[in-house]
Short mmCIF file of all heavy atoms in Angstrom, two decimals:
data_model
loop_
_atom_site.label_atom_id
_atom_site.label_comp_id
_atom_site.label_asym_id
_atom_site.label_seq_id
_atom_site.Cartn_x
_atom_site.Cartn_y
_atom_site.Cartn_z
N ILE A 1 51.23 -92.09 25.27
CA ILE A 1 50.03 -92.78 25.71
C ILE A 1 49.15 -93.09 24.51
O ILE A 1 49.14 -92.35 23.52
CB ILE A 1 49.26 -91.93 26.76
CG1 ILE A 1 48.16 -92.75 27.44
CG2 ILE A 1 48.71 -90.66 26.14
CD1 ILE A 1 47.57 -92.04 28.66
N SER A 2 48.45 -94.20 24.59
CA SER A 2 47.45 -94.56 23.59
C SER A 2 46.23 -95.08 24.35
O SER A 2 46.23 -95.11 25.58
CB SER A 2 47.99 -95.63 22.63
OG SER A 2 48.03 -96.89 23.28
N ALA A 3 45.23 -95.52 23.61
CA ALA A 3 44.06 -96.10 24.27
C ALA A 3 44.33 -97.52 24.75
O ALA A 3 43.48 -98.12 25.39
CB ALA A 3 42.86 -96.09 23.33
N GLY A 4 45.52 -98.05 24.45
CA GLY A 4 45.84 -99.41 24.87
C GLY A 4 46.99 -99.53 25.84
O GLY A 4 47.21 -100.59 26.41
N GLY A 5 47.75 -98.43 26.05
CA GLY A 5 48.89 -98.51 26.95
C GLY A 5 49.62 -97.20 27.05
O GLY A 5 49.21 -96.18 26.47
N ALA A 6 50.73 -97.22 27.81
CA ALA A 6 51.50 -95.99 28.02
C ALA A 6 52.96 -96.35 28.28
O ALA A 6 53.30 -97.50 28.57
CB ALA A 6 50.93 -95.20 29.20
N ARG A 7 53.80 -95.34 28.17
CA ARG A 7 55.23 -95.46 28.50
C ARG A 7 55.55 -94.34 29.47
O ARG A 7 55.22 -93.18 29.23
CB ARG A 7 56.06 -95.35 27.21
CG ARG A 7 57.55 -95.61 27.38
CD ARG A 7 58.21 -95.78 26.01
NE ARG A 7 58.01 -94.61 25.16
CZ ARG A 7 58.91 -93.63 25.00
NH1 ARG A 7 60.07 -93.67 25.66
NH2 ARG A 7 58.66 -92.62 24.19
N PHE A 8 56.19 -94.69 30.59
CA PHE A 8 56.45 -93.67 31.60
C PHE A 8 57.79 -93.93 32.30
O PHE A 8 58.35 -95.03 32.26
CB PHE A 8 55.31 -93.62 32.63
CG PHE A 8 55.16 -94.86 33.46
CD1 PHE A 8 55.83 -95.01 34.68
CD2 PHE A 8 54.33 -95.89 33.05
CE1 PHE A 8 55.67 -96.15 35.45
CE2 PHE A 8 54.17 -97.05 33.81
CZ PHE A 8 54.85 -97.18 35.02
N ILE A 9 58.31 -92.88 32.94
CA ILE A 9 59.54 -92.94 33.72
C ILE A 9 59.20 -92.74 35.19
O ILE A 9 58.40 -91.86 35.54
CB ILE A 9 60.54 -91.87 33.24
CG1 ILE A 9 61.07 -92.22 31.85
CG2 ILE A 9 61.71 -91.74 34.22
CD1 ILE A 9 62.01 -91.17 31.27
N SER A 10 59.82 -93.55 36.05
CA SER A 10 59.53 -93.47 37.48
C SER A 10 60.74 -93.98 38.27
O SER A 10 61.56 -94.74 37.75
CB SER A 10 58.30 -94.30 37.83
OG SER A 10 58.08 -94.34 39.23
N THR A 11 60.82 -93.54 39.55
CA THR A 11 61.84 -94.09 40.45
C THR A 11 61.36 -95.37 41.11
O THR A 11 62.16 -96.07 41.74
CB THR A 11 62.20 -93.06 41.54
OG1 THR A 11 61.01 -92.69 42.24
CG2 THR A 11 62.82 -91.81 40.93
N ALA A 12 60.07 -95.68 41.00
CA ALA A 12 59.54 -96.90 41.58
C ALA A 12 60.09 -98.12 40.85
O ALA A 12 60.33 -98.07 39.64
CB ALA A 12 58.02 -96.90 41.53
N SER A 13 60.28 -99.21 41.57
CA SER A 13 60.82 -100.43 40.98
C SER A 13 59.70 -101.44 40.75
O SER A 13 59.06 -101.88 41.71
CB SER A 13 61.89 -101.02 41.92
OG SER A 13 62.42 -102.21 41.37
N TYR A 14 59.48 -101.79 39.47
CA TYR A 14 58.49 -102.80 39.11
C TYR A 14 59.18 -103.86 38.26
O TYR A 14 60.22 -103.63 37.65
CB TYR A 14 57.34 -102.17 38.31
CG TYR A 14 56.57 -101.11 39.05
CD1 TYR A 14 56.67 -99.76 38.66
CD2 TYR A 14 55.76 -101.43 40.12
CE1 TYR A 14 55.97 -98.78 39.33
CE2 TYR A 14 55.05 -100.44 40.80
CZ TYR A 14 55.16 -99.12 40.40
OH TYR A 14 54.48 -98.15 41.07
N SER A 15 58.55 -105.03 38.21
CA SER A 15 59.06 -106.14 37.41
C SER A 15 58.08 -106.47 36.31
O SER A 15 56.90 -106.07 36.36
CB SER A 15 59.29 -107.38 38.29
OG SER A 15 60.19 -107.10 39.33
N LEU A 16 58.55 -107.20 35.30
CA LEU A 16 57.67 -107.64 34.22
C LEU A 16 56.50 -108.42 34.80
O LEU A 16 56.67 -109.29 35.66
CB LEU A 16 58.43 -108.52 33.23
CG LEU A 16 59.48 -107.83 32.35
CD1 LEU A 16 60.23 -108.86 31.51
CD2 LEU A 16 58.84 -106.79 31.45
N GLY A 17 55.29 -108.09 34.34
CA GLY A 17 54.10 -108.77 34.81
C GLY A 17 53.43 -108.13 36.00
O GLY A 17 52.29 -108.47 36.33
N ASP A 18 54.12 -107.19 36.67
CA ASP A 18 53.50 -106.49 37.80
C ASP A 18 52.31 -105.68 37.32
O ASP A 18 52.33 -105.10 36.22
CB ASP A 18 54.50 -105.55 38.48
CG ASP A 18 55.49 -106.28 39.36
OD1 ASP A 18 55.33 -107.51 39.53
OD2 ASP A 18 56.42 -105.62 39.88
N ARG A 19 51.30 -105.61 38.18
CA ARG A 19 50.14 -104.77 37.88
C ARG A 19 50.10 -103.59 38.83
O ARG A 19 50.41 -103.73 40.01
CB ARG A 19 48.84 -105.58 37.96
CG ARG A 19 48.73 -106.61 36.84
CD ARG A 19 47.33 -107.14 36.66
NE ARG A 19 47.25 -108.01 35.49
CZ ARG A 19 46.12 -108.52 35.02
NH1 ARG A 19 44.96 -108.23 35.62
NH2 ARG A 19 46.12 -109.29 33.95
N LEU A 20 49.73 -102.45 38.29
CA LEU A 20 49.68 -101.22 39.08
C LEU A 20 48.54 -100.35 38.58
O LEU A 20 47.93 -100.62 37.55
CB LEU A 20 51.01 -100.48 38.99
CG LEU A 20 51.52 -100.17 37.58
CD1 LEU A 20 51.15 -98.75 37.17
CD2 LEU A 20 53.02 -100.35 37.50
N VAL A 21 48.28 -99.30 39.32
CA VAL A 21 47.27 -98.31 38.91
C VAL A 21 48.01 -97.06 38.46
O VAL A 21 48.85 -96.52 39.20
CB VAL A 21 46.31 -97.97 40.06
CG1 VAL A 21 45.33 -96.87 39.63
CG2 VAL A 21 45.55 -99.21 40.51
N LEU A 22 47.70 -96.62 37.24
CA LEU A 22 48.27 -95.38 36.70
C LEU A 22 47.21 -94.30 36.75
O LEU A 22 46.12 -94.47 36.20
CB LEU A 22 48.74 -95.60 35.26
CG LEU A 22 49.31 -94.39 34.53
CD1 LEU A 22 50.60 -93.90 35.19
CD2 LEU A 22 49.55 -94.71 33.06
N GLU A 23 47.53 -93.21 37.43
CA GLU A 23 46.60 -92.08 37.54
C GLU A 23 47.17 -90.89 36.79
O GLU A 23 48.34 -90.55 36.96
CB GLU A 23 46.37 -91.71 39.01
CG GLU A 23 45.78 -92.84 39.84
CD GLU A 23 45.62 -92.46 41.30
OE1 GLU A 23 45.97 -91.31 41.66
OE2 GLU A 23 45.16 -93.31 42.08
N THR A 24 46.36 -90.26 35.96
CA THR A 24 46.81 -89.10 35.20
C THR A 24 45.62 -88.30 34.70
O THR A 24 44.50 -88.83 34.60
CB THR A 24 47.70 -89.52 34.01
OG1 THR A 24 48.25 -88.36 33.39
CG2 THR A 24 46.90 -90.30 32.98
N ALA A 25 45.88 -87.04 34.38
CA ALA A 25 44.85 -86.16 33.80
C ALA A 25 45.47 -85.48 32.59
O ALA A 25 46.03 -84.38 32.71
CB ALA A 25 44.37 -85.14 34.83
N PRO A 26 45.40 -86.10 31.40
CA PRO A 26 46.03 -85.52 30.20
C PRO A 26 45.49 -84.14 29.84
O PRO A 26 46.22 -83.29 29.36
CB PRO A 26 45.71 -86.54 29.10
CG PRO A 26 45.38 -87.81 29.82
CD PRO A 26 44.78 -87.40 31.11
N ILE A 27 44.18 -83.93 30.07
CA ILE A 27 43.53 -82.66 29.75
C ILE A 27 43.02 -82.05 31.05
O ILE A 27 42.32 -82.71 31.82
CB ILE A 27 42.35 -82.88 28.77
CG1 ILE A 27 42.83 -83.66 27.55
CG2 ILE A 27 41.76 -81.54 28.36
CD1 ILE A 27 43.94 -83.00 26.77
N ASP A 28 43.34 -80.78 31.29
CA ASP A 28 43.07 -80.18 32.59
C ASP A 28 41.58 -80.11 32.93
O ASP A 28 41.21 -80.15 34.10
CB ASP A 28 43.72 -78.79 32.70
CG ASP A 28 43.44 -77.92 31.48
OD1 ASP A 28 42.54 -78.25 30.70
OD2 ASP A 28 44.13 -76.88 31.33
N TRP A 29 40.70 -80.01 31.92
CA TRP A 29 39.27 -79.90 32.24
C TRP A 29 38.57 -81.26 32.32
O TRP A 29 37.39 -81.33 32.63
CB TRP A 29 38.56 -79.00 31.22
CG TRP A 29 38.52 -79.56 29.82
CD1 TRP A 29 37.65 -80.49 29.34
CD2 TRP A 29 39.38 -79.22 28.74
NE1 TRP A 29 37.91 -80.76 28.02
CE2 TRP A 29 38.97 -79.99 27.61
CE3 TRP A 29 40.45 -78.35 28.59
CZ2 TRP A 29 39.60 -79.90 26.38
CZ3 TRP A 29 41.07 -78.27 27.36
CH2 TRP A 29 40.65 -79.02 26.29
N GLU A 30 39.28 -82.34 32.01
CA GLU A 30 38.72 -83.68 32.08
C GLU A 30 38.94 -84.28 33.46
O GLU A 30 39.91 -83.96 34.15
CB GLU A 30 39.37 -84.60 31.04
CG GLU A 30 38.82 -84.43 29.64
CD GLU A 30 37.58 -85.28 29.39
OE1 GLU A 30 37.04 -85.84 30.36
OE2 GLU A 30 37.15 -85.34 28.23
N ASP A 31 38.04 -85.17 33.88
CA ASP A 31 38.26 -85.91 35.12
C ASP A 31 39.49 -86.79 34.97
O ASP A 31 39.76 -87.31 33.87
CB ASP A 31 37.04 -86.79 35.44
CG ASP A 31 35.81 -85.97 35.82
OD1 ASP A 31 36.00 -84.84 36.30
OD2 ASP A 31 34.69 -86.47 35.64
N PRO A 32 40.27 -86.98 36.04
CA PRO A 32 41.46 -87.82 35.95
C PRO A 32 41.11 -89.26 35.60
O PRO A 32 40.00 -89.73 35.86
CB PRO A 32 42.08 -87.72 37.35
CG PRO A 32 41.45 -86.53 37.98
CD PRO A 32 40.09 -86.40 37.38
N PHE A 33 42.09 -89.96 35.03
CA PHE A 33 41.95 -91.38 34.73
C PHE A 33 42.66 -92.18 35.82
O PHE A 33 43.71 -91.77 36.32
CB PHE A 33 42.57 -91.71 33.37
CG PHE A 33 41.82 -91.12 32.21
CD1 PHE A 33 42.14 -89.87 31.73
CD2 PHE A 33 40.80 -91.83 31.60
CE1 PHE A 33 41.45 -89.32 30.65
CE2 PHE A 33 40.10 -91.30 30.53
CZ PHE A 33 40.43 -90.04 30.06
N SER A 34 42.10 -93.32 36.15
CA SER A 34 42.72 -94.27 37.07
C SER A 34 42.64 -95.64 36.38
O SER A 34 41.57 -96.25 36.35
CB SER A 34 42.00 -94.28 38.42
OG SER A 34 42.63 -95.16 39.32
N ILE A 35 43.77 -96.10 35.83
CA ILE A 35 43.78 -97.24 34.92
C ILE A 35 44.69 -98.34 35.45
O ILE A 35 45.84 -98.07 35.83
CB ILE A 35 44.26 -96.81 33.51
CG1 ILE A 35 43.44 -95.61 33.01
CG2 ILE A 35 44.16 -97.96 32.54
CD1 ILE A 35 43.98 -95.00 31.73
N ILE A 36 44.20 -99.56 35.44
CA ILE A 36 45.02 -100.70 35.83
C ILE A 36 45.93 -101.06 34.66
O ILE A 36 45.48 -101.16 33.51
CB ILE A 36 44.16 -101.91 36.22
CG1 ILE A 36 43.28 -101.56 37.42
CG2 ILE A 36 45.04 -103.13 36.53
CD1 ILE A 36 42.31 -102.65 37.80
N CYS A 37 47.23 -101.23 34.93
CA CYS A 37 48.22 -101.52 33.91
C CYS A 37 49.01 -102.78 34.27
O CYS A 37 49.11 -103.14 35.44
CB CYS A 37 49.23 -100.38 33.78
SG CYS A 37 48.51 -98.76 33.54
N GLU A 38 49.57 -103.38 33.25
CA GLU A 38 50.50 -104.49 33.45
C GLU A 38 51.83 -104.12 32.80
O GLU A 38 51.86 -103.71 31.63
CB GLU A 38 49.96 -105.78 32.86
CG GLU A 38 50.87 -106.97 33.08
CD GLU A 38 50.25 -108.27 32.61
OE1 GLU A 38 49.17 -108.64 33.12
OE2 GLU A 38 50.85 -108.92 31.73
N ILE A 39 52.92 -104.27 33.55
CA ILE A 39 54.24 -103.92 33.03
C ILE A 39 54.66 -104.95 31.99
O ILE A 39 54.71 -106.14 32.25
CB ILE A 39 55.28 -103.86 34.16
CG1 ILE A 39 54.90 -102.78 35.19
CG2 ILE A 39 56.67 -103.59 33.59
CD1 ILE A 39 54.88 -101.38 34.65
N ARG A 40 54.98 -104.45 30.77
CA ARG A 40 55.41 -105.33 29.68
C ARG A 40 56.86 -105.10 29.28
O ARG A 40 57.45 -105.92 28.59
CB ARG A 40 54.49 -105.11 28.46
CG ARG A 40 53.06 -105.57 28.68
CD ARG A 40 53.01 -107.07 28.93
NE ARG A 40 51.67 -107.58 29.06
CZ ARG A 40 50.94 -108.03 28.04
NH1 ARG A 40 51.45 -107.99 26.80
NH2 ARG A 40 49.74 -108.49 28.23
N ARG A 41 57.46 -103.97 29.69
CA ARG A 41 58.84 -103.69 29.33
C ARG A 41 59.47 -102.83 30.42
O ARG A 41 58.83 -101.90 30.94
CB ARG A 41 58.91 -102.96 27.98
CG ARG A 41 60.32 -102.81 27.44
CD ARG A 41 60.34 -102.12 26.07
NE ARG A 41 59.94 -100.72 26.14
CZ ARG A 41 58.76 -100.25 25.79
NH1 ARG A 41 57.83 -101.07 25.32
NH2 ARG A 41 58.48 -98.96 25.88
N VAL A 42 60.71 -103.15 30.77
CA VAL A 42 61.45 -102.40 31.80
C VAL A 42 62.83 -102.06 31.25
O VAL A 42 63.55 -102.93 30.76
CB VAL A 42 61.60 -103.22 33.09
CG1 VAL A 42 62.34 -102.39 34.15
CG2 VAL A 42 60.24 -103.67 33.63
N THR A 43 63.21 -100.78 31.36
CA THR A 43 64.55 -100.33 30.95
C THR A 43 65.11 -99.45 32.05
O THR A 43 64.49 -98.45 32.43
CB THR A 43 64.50 -99.52 29.64
OG1 THR A 43 63.86 -100.31 28.62
CG2 THR A 43 65.89 -99.16 29.18
N GLU A 44 66.26 -99.82 32.58
CA GLU A 44 66.90 -99.00 33.61
C GLU A 44 67.64 -97.85 32.95
O GLU A 44 68.35 -98.02 31.95
CB GLU A 44 67.87 -99.85 34.42
CG GLU A 44 68.41 -99.13 35.64
CD GLU A 44 69.21 -100.04 36.55
OE1 GLU A 44 69.29 -101.26 36.28
OE2 GLU A 44 69.78 -99.52 37.54
N ILE A 45 67.44 -96.66 33.47
CA ILE A 45 68.09 -95.47 32.92
C ILE A 45 68.88 -94.78 34.03
O ILE A 45 68.84 -95.19 35.19
CB ILE A 45 67.09 -94.51 32.28
CG1 ILE A 45 66.01 -94.07 33.29
CG2 ILE A 45 66.41 -95.15 31.08
CD1 ILE A 45 65.01 -93.09 32.72
N GLU A 46 69.59 -93.70 33.69
CA GLU A 46 70.44 -93.02 34.66
C GLU A 46 69.61 -92.36 35.76
O GLU A 46 68.44 -92.06 35.59
CB GLU A 46 71.29 -91.97 33.95
CG GLU A 46 72.30 -92.54 32.96
CD GLU A 46 73.11 -91.46 32.29
OE1 GLU A 46 72.90 -90.28 32.63
OE2 GLU A 46 73.96 -91.79 31.45
#
């Protein structure tokens, strides 16, 4: 993760250009983040 984007693995199926909300709490004492993202790269894995 960076301040401009993230890379993640999921079973959900998205396409290039799809927009979604990514929710995460990198630090346990911080409030969670809810960030709008746009898919820029897709790689199918096992």
Side-chain angles (χ1 to χ4, degrees):
I1 191 168
S2 74
R7 186 167 58 98
F8 65 90
I9 291 177
S10 174
T11 57
S13 179
Y14 299 110
S15 301
L16 290 175
D18 283 354
R19 292 196 174 187
L20 54 96
V21 176
L22 177 65
E23 300 178 1
T24 186
I27 307 301
D28 48 15
W29 66 81
E30 280 274 10
D31 291 335
F33 292 90
S34 182
I35 307 171
I36 299 175
C37 308
E38 182 174 301
I39 299 296
R40 293 298 183 90
R41 189 178 68 257
V42 181
T43 305
E44 189 171 356
I45 58 178
E46 295 180 1

